[in-house]
Amino acid sequence: MAVSQQNIQFQLQQIAKDLEEPFDYPYPGLYTGDMGEALFLMHYARYTGEEHWNEVAHARLERVFELIDDKPYIPALCRGLAGIFWGIEYLIAQGFIEDDIRESLEEFDEYLSASMLQHIRAGHFDFLHGALGMALYLLKHRRSNPAVEAALREVIDHLEAQAIRPDDNKMYWLASVSDTEHGLLNIALSHGITAVAMLLCRYIAEDVELLRCREMLEKVVAQILEERIDEQVHGSCFPSANKTRDQRHLFSRLGWCYGDLGIALMLWQCGNAIDRADWKAEALRIFQFNCKRRDAGANFINDAGFCHGAAGVALVFQRIYRETGLPEFLETAQYWHAYTLQMAVPGVGVGGYKVYATKPIPIDDMNRNLLEGAAGIGMCLLHADLELSQDWDAVFLLSM
């Protein structure tokens, strides 16, 4: 399925037009608020070279700063300061904005460090809403602050202390994000122990608690691999959460948040981090199997959003293509980019996209945001162009 750059340009224009007027989000976060829209609008302004969109993008960022002052602080990556500050640092690094705001961000370092420790002490490691997302920001931007460095090391202390060890070679933690998963093993990227493994890789890359993190990483990956199922029987290589939860329904969706893609990418990154060729080979086998999963409905791809939709699948495959150069991954990425374009319905939702909801919940903000809505779809479509850097995907753990 070919990707039409003309169709991408048209769709990006529709998304930008529908995002032009700000929305009254509960919080200005990166994944689910104004900061995510600002990220897309900044990129779209640079992509088009039109001053109008540059003005819209900077106005949206100013709105983020105003809302930070007006709203109660939330520290987490998804809706709160860790995500907002990650986005601001990224925009500085990419030359979208000046770096004179950095000093203001540093004032929050100790607050974020204390919040991260509060979450991890309570066993709340969750990537989107708990300690790991805060660690992602603080690891890259600890700025030689001894208090931040100490807090990051203490996170490892608590992970070690809280770990469940089925045997000497495995370890895991119990999920705490939702009523349905609280107190259970969850191997997914978004809320489970795959994210723990990926954060340990980043600790290793930053040379923070190197030896302890390497030992923990070996055991976490061993636990995740223990959950492997027969893809020829079940249709996926891993279950959604764990294989003992419900033996009748082991099949997992195709998406970033849950299932094979996040685990395969984790194995690739971890294999690079500590030179495990066997993990990287397993990652490629999983990706190659998932190249064949093209039936959107059968794989629970019901909308286009990044989190669990077609655009996110495209971006994950494009990331592994960038890492490996294997043409089958590029072809799969292009297939899902093209499918994302096909899913647009003029006049529906935001830019033609609407979040699929099985329950009658308010979804106006979801239709717009980076995680599930049009801003994220726009970022994925824009970066279907391989000449553009895709390093913004680091905030979703797709790259280091």
Side-chain angles (χ1 to χ4, degrees), residues 71-103:
K71 303 283 186 179
Y73 294 145
I74 293 177
L77 184 75
C78 182
R79 294 195 300 163
L81 294 179
I84 293 169
F85 292 173
W86 188 98
I88 292 170
E89 289 278 8
Y90 170 82
L91 292 176
I92 292 171
Q94 297 298 314
F96 285 100
I97 59 176
E98 299 296 325
D99 66 358
D100 54 359
I101 192 176
R102 267 209 180 102
E103 195 171 319

Side-chain angles (χ1 to χ4, degrees), residues 250-308:
L250 292 181
F251 176 78
S252 63
R253 74 188 319 152
L254 189 66
W256 167 80
C257 51
Y258 280 79
D260 292 357
L261 298 187
I263 293 170
L265 195 61
M266 175 275 295
L267 289 169
W268 181 261
Q269 291 179 5
C270 294
N272 281 327
I274 63 170
D275 196 23
R276 287 289 301 262
D278 55 332
W279 291 353
K280 293 175 68 175
E282 180 66 6
L284 294 181
R285 283 193 291 269
I286 296 166
F287 275 119
Q288 285 162 347
F289 172 78
N290 281 273
C291 285
K292 305 168 188 174
R293 296 173 66 182
R294 299 289 177 93
D295 186 327
N299 289 289
F300 303 122
I301 298 177
N302 298 312
D303 57 29
F306 175 84
C307 182
H308 44 257

Side-chain angles (χ1 to χ4, degrees), residues 65-316:
F65 298 148
E66 293 169 3
L67 289 171
I68 289 175
D69 291 334
D70 292 343
K71 303 283 186 179
Y73 294 145
I74 293 177
L77 184 75
C78 182
R79 294 195 300 163
L81 294 179
I84 293 169
F85 292 173
W86 188 98
I88 292 170
E89 289 278 8
Y90 170 82
L91 292 176
I92 292 171
Q94 297 298 314
F96 285 100
I97 59 176
E98 299 296 325
D99 66 358
D100 54 359
I101 192 176
R102 267 209 180 102
E103 195 171 319
S104 298
L105 304 189
E106 292 174 6
E107 296 174 6
F108 289 89
D109 281 355
E110 292 189 15
Y111 167 76
L112 284 173
S113 296
S115 298
M116 176 177 68
L117 291 179
Q118 182 180 16
H119 279 268
I120 199 63
R121 287 166 183 162
H124 191 202
F125 67 85
D126 186 80
F127 175 61
L128 267 70
H129 307 297
L132 296 185
M134 295 174 236
L136 178 72
Y137 168 71
L138 291 170
L139 267 171
K140 282 288 189 182
H141 306 289
R142 59 192 191 277
R143 307 181 191 87
S144 301
N145 184 326
V148 175
E149 184 88 12
L152 287 165
R153 294 179 187 277
E154 189 177 331
V155 168
I156 302 303
D157 294 340
H158 288 288
L159 284 174
E160 277 191 324
Q162 295 167 9
I164 296 171
R165 295 173 170 83
D167 58 45
D168 292 340
N169 299 314
K170 301 183 188 71
M171 67 192 322
Y172 67 91
W173 298 264
L174 298 178
S176 60
V177 69
S178 71
D179 292 339
T180 57
E181 295 173 1
H182 187 86
L184 297 172
L185 168 61
N186 183 335
I187 62 171
L189 191 163
S190 54
H191 302 298
I193 65 173
T194 285
V196 178
M198 294 171 106
L199 259 293
L200 290 172
C201 283
R202 285 147 181 81
Y203 267 80
I204 291 168
E206 295 293 324
D207 197 17
V208 178
E209 296 292 348
L210 181 63
L211 295 179
R212 284 205 293 165
C213 287
R214 182 180 179 119
E215 181 180 353
M216 291 171 68
L217 184 61
E218 296 266 8
K219 295 178 180 181
V220 178
V221 172
Q223 179 66 55
I224 294 169
L225 290 174
E226 182 71 17
E227 300 298 318
R228 187 78 150 83
I229 57 178
D230 187 339
E231 65 269 23
Q232 301 304 325
V233 173
H234 299 289
S236 63
C237 300
F238 288 87
S240 182
N242 67 74
K243 66 184 180 183
T244 60
R245 183 173 174 181
D246 190 341
Q247 287 290 324
R248 297 170 299 172
H249 303 293
L250 292 181
F251 176 78
S252 63
R253 74 188 319 152
L254 189 66
W256 167 80
C257 51
Y258 280 79
D260 292 357
L261 298 187
I263 293 170
L265 195 61
M266 175 275 295
L267 289 169
W268 181 261
Q269 291 179 5
C270 294
N272 281 327
I274 63 170
D275 196 23
R276 287 289 301 262
D278 55 332
W279 291 353
K280 293 175 68 175
E282 180 66 6
L284 294 181
R285 283 193 291 269
I286 296 166
F287 275 119
Q288 285 162 347
F289 172 78
N290 281 273
C291 285
K292 305 168 188 174
R293 296 173 66 182
R294 299 289 177 93
D295 186 327
N299 289 289
F300 303 122
I301 298 177
N302 298 312
D303 57 29
F306 175 84
C307 182
H308 44 257
V313 174
L315 201 72
V316 174

Side-chain angles (χ1 to χ4, degrees), residues 56-68:
V56 172
H58 279 82
R60 191 59 47 84
L61 190 59
E62 286 297 326
R63 178 178 167 83
V64 171
F65 298 148
E66 293 169 3
L67 289 171
I68 289 175

Side-chain angles (χ1 to χ4, degrees), residues 318-330:
Q318 189 163 291
R319 168 50 62 190
I320 196 62
Y321 168 72
R322 287 177 183 265
E323 297 280 330
T324 66
L326 294 176
E328 62 198 295
F329 298 147
L330 177 59

